[in-house]
Amino acid sequence: GDSVTQMEGPVTLSEEAFLTINCTYTATGYPSLFWYVQYPGEGLQLLLKATKADDKGSNKGFEATYRKETTSFHLEKGSVQVSDSAVYFCALIISNFGNEKLTFGTGTRLTIIP
Amino acid sequence: GAGVSQSPRYKVAKRGQDVALRCDPISGHVSLFWYQQALGQGPEFLTYFQNEAQLDKSGLPSDRFFAERPEGSVSTLKIQRTQQEDSAVYLCASSLESVLAKNIQYFGAGTRLSVL
């Protein structure tokens, strides 16, 4: 079945460090790929997405490129801030006659130290 | 409201009790999803509605779980005879069916269920 494998955490970085969170997927079709973020005490929020190979999603300084050849969608940010501390989830959708249920990875907890 | 609203935010139940969790989706959103998130894990799909029709309930873990959306808006997830393994955060998400907005699900803050 479809699945997402995410870099295990927790990850702790200093402010202004470079961030990479790895994500790879297994899917029977052509998925759309997503990164969701969960800030403390809040619901999941869409961070960025890409719907086809070689697309790059970007938002709030974060980027991820849909790599079909390596089945990956790694999240990157050049200079992290304390406010980026959260749990990050990689996810995919295989569109199935309108049922676009998300399949999530296990999440990566990120802590940024001032 | 402006976002997806879930109630209650927290629910403590004794083992064997029935519980009902409510979800108010964003107005006009056709699709509604329920997910279960165990501690330290990613959310897992439970069930999907398109308007009032429950099109997929393959993720419901047992026949103790039941969901409905009778008027195509508010949805209720009911768990009968709760067990300790039902303890989790239950997330609701809704999405607008349109080409431009396709695939974006908006999540509520969730209901944290603790079964003692």
Side-chain angles (χ1 to χ4, degrees), chain A residues 32 34 36 38 41-46 49 51 89 93 95-107, chain B residues 9 31 33 35 37 40-45 48 50 55-56 58 91 97 100 102-109:
Chain A
S32 296
F34 304 81
Y36 275 83
Q38 192 170 37
E42 299 185 16
L44 282 164
Q45 302 175 23
L46 178 66
K49 69 170 191 171
T51 58
F89 293 92
I93 285 177
S95 186
N96 181 17
F97 299 101
N99 179 359
E100 297 178 336
K101 59 186 179 185
L102 283 157
T103 298
F104 286 90
T106 55
Chain B
R9 286 296 308 277
S31 296
F33 302 80
Y35 296 87
Q37 186 177 15
Q41 301 298 313
E44 293 192 356
F45 170 77
Y48 161 68
Q50 188 174 81
L55 299 185
D56 187 344
S58 62
L91 299 172
E97 288 289 348
L100 292 178
K102 199 169 177 63
N103 293 351
I104 297 177
Q105 293 181 27
Y106 297 86
F107 283 79

Side-chain angles (χ1 to χ4, degrees), chain B residues 70-87:
Chain B
E71 298 178 356
S73 178
V74 171
S75 178
T76 303
L77 176 67
K78 298 179 179 178
I79 309 173
Q80 297 177 327
R81 305 182 302 281
T82 52
Q83 303 296 315
Q84 284 189 321
E85 62 263 29
D86 300 334
S87 297

Side-chain angles (χ1 to χ4, degrees), chain A residues 69-82:
Chain A
E69 63 276 14
T70 54
T71 62
S72 65
F73 193 54
H74 304 321
L75 183 68
E76 296 182 336
K77 186 173 185 181
S79 176
V80 292
Q81 305 300 313
V82 172

